[in-house]
Amino acid sequence: MGSDPILIYGAYGYTGRLVTRQAVADGLDPIVAGRSAEKVESVAVTHGLDHRVFTLDNPREVADALADVAVVLNCAGPFDRTSTPLVDACIETGTHYLDITGEIAVFEAIATRDSEAEAAGVMLLPGVGFDVVPTDSLAAHLADRLPDATHLELGFQGLDELSPGTAHTVVESLDDSGTVRRDGILVDVPVAHDIRTIDFGDGPTTAAAIHWGDVSTAYHTTGIPDVTVYADQPEMTIRFLQLSNRLRWLLGSDPVQSALHGLVDRFVDGPSEAARREESMYVWGRATNGEESVVSRLVTPESYLFTSHSAPYLAARVRDGEAPVGFQTPASAFGPDVALDIDGVERTDE
């Protein structure tokens, strides 16, 4: 199984390049792929890799490109556009599917394909980057510590710079509401509807509830029915987020969207290599049953550096046969300690 190929789709984006470089360093010899022949060929030549060029518009073309592939690692967002054609092809060809999404709608849509994937003998595992490996791992650990927990809160600190792809996804979601999980159901709420103080490990700081993938995945992993996710935010950012509740109609309009995407293209480059090496992420979680509570924390490498290690690592484990079939989350597939497999991750409990 170890010689079966892993294909990285979107290998020339900001995160795709980091993932590809680490996959090569890990000895995985991936096939690199994407829709731009020039960009795919550039990555392939840099690393001495095989490459394939195909769009996701023609189902037959996609299936043909994956026919001899063991695992697809999708790094091409926005994933609400790229995940469905690749999942369709993976189910048809018996290829395992992984991606680095953090989009709630994508997690939920892929979860509905569980029975199809089981019948095809393939794993569908979205979210193998910083979204959502550390937080999913922490959620599972907290559920183990308090098996009868009814409420789960997760949060993180340190996401200061975005890649171009992530920034474009954020722009497209500006007209979305916030989302929480209540009684097992996804519920729309105002953006930044809940502000609280969280100690991520270096003293209390202000955090706002955000629209984040764990609202989907943590429930699938743990069964805990109430889930909210927070992020450390400056006061001015929180005010903007709350103001956006009244401006969603404007932020989602074509002229504003076009202008904001243009600004992303012009000004967003993603964290520098020095920033990736020097910064850290701080993840916090609390589970409660109403009478008892448990708190745990993780410290991880910077988010994009973490993703560059976790995505190829998990793709290799899937390729090598450690792949429970059907829809999975990182922790449902590989257990609550999965984040600890990445160098530089530490966990503490209260």
Side-chain angles (χ1 to χ4, degrees):
M1 288 290 293
S3 62
D4 292 347
I6 294 170
L7 183 144
I8 301 176
Y9 193 80
Y12 50 76
Y14 176 89
T15 308
R17 285 181 179 271
L18 297 178
V19 168
T20 299
R21 185 171 70 182
Q22 188 59 46
V24 171
D26 291 345
L28 301 185
D29 197 29
I31 300 167
V32 291
R35 64 173 59 237
S36 168
E38 180 181 358
K39 293 177 180 179
V40 171
E41 289 168 6
S42 173
V43 173
V45 169
T46 296
H47 297 290
L49 300 172
D50 290 339
H51 70 279
R52 295 177 185 175
V53 179
F54 60 98
T55 72
L56 303 181
D57 303 326
N58 185 323
R60 185 74 268 137
E61 182 183 10
V62 181
D64 288 346
L66 305 187
D68 62 343
V69 171
V71 178
V72 167
L73 175 53
N74 180 16
C75 296
F79 295 91
D80 64 346
R81 300 177 190 171
T82 63
S83 59
T84 297
L86 284 169
V87 167
D88 288 345
C90 284
I91 289 173
E92 178 180 341
T93 60
T95 303
H96 301 299
Y97 174 87
L98 286 70
D99 69 29
I100 56 170
T101 190
E103 300 167 43
I104 293 172
V106 174
F107 288 119
E108 290 295 296
I110 293 178
T112 67
R113 312 294 296 271
D114 178 57
S115 59
E116 292 177 77
E118 285 191 4
V122 302
M123 171 194 272
L124 305 179
L125 178 56
V128 296
F130 186 82
D131 305 357
V132 290
V133 174
T135 38
D136 195 55
S137 182
L138 197 63
H141 176 66
L142 289 164
D144 281 354
R145 292 185 64 197
L146 192 65
D148 63 345
T150 56
H151 292 71
L152 175 67
E153 298 167 311
L154 298 166
F156 59 88
Q157 179 184 46
L159 189 61
D160 297 326
E161 293 185 73
L162 302 179
S163 71
T166 302
H168 282 297
T169 300
V170 169
V171 167
E172 292 188 5
S173 67
L174 286 175
D175 60 343
D176 291 342
S177 65
T179 307
V180 297
R181 179 82 68 169
R182 293 290 178 262
D183 297 322
I185 305 298
L186 292 174
V187 177
D188 290 342
V189 293
V191 175
H193 76 290
D194 186 18
I195 310 300
R196 60 163 299 160
T197 300
I198 295 175
D199 183 353
F200 290 96
D202 192 29
T205 188
T206 302
I210 60 169
H211 182 92
W212 198 256
D214 296 276
V215 173
S216 170
T217 53
Y219 174 72
H220 292 291
T221 300
T222 69
I224 297 174
D226 283 36
V227 182
T228 306
V229 183
Y230 299 85
D232 169 49
Q233 304 278 5
E235 183 178 342
M236 288 300 296
T237 301
I238 292 174
R239 289 181 179 176
F240 171 78
L241 292 172
Q242 293 174 331
L243 177 63
S244 73
N245 289 304
R246 297 196 294 270
L247 298 176
R248 283 163 54 189
W249 62 272
L250 176 62
L251 295 172
S253 66
D254 289 342
V256 171
Q257 285 281 303
S258 179
L260 292 174
H261 282 298
L263 291 173
V264 170
D265 289 335
R266 185 173 179 183
F267 294 111
V268 178
D269 297 320
S272 67
E273 183 162 1
R276 294 195 302 270
R277 296 293 177 186
E278 294 169 5
E279 301 298 327
S280 296
M281 299 295 297
Y282 301 89
V283 183
W284 167 92
R286 175 180 179 268
T288 182
N289 59 14
E291 297 180 358
E292 182 182 0
S293 298
V294 291
V295 172
S296 297
R297 296 178 178 85
L298 290 174
V299 179
T300 83
E302 185 274 338
S303 60
Y304 293 98
L305 181 60
F306 181 95
T307 296
S308 73
H309 286 269
S310 65
Y313 166 71
L314 293 179
R317 291 187 66 175
V318 172
R319 178 202 62 185
D320 293 342
E322 301 179 50
V325 298
F327 168 77
Q328 300 290 335
T329 68
S332 73
F334 300 111
D337 295 339
V338 61
L340 303 183
D341 292 339
I342 306 303
D343 288 345
V345 177
E346 298 179 0
R347 186 175 67 204
T348 56
D349 296 332
E350 285 187 6

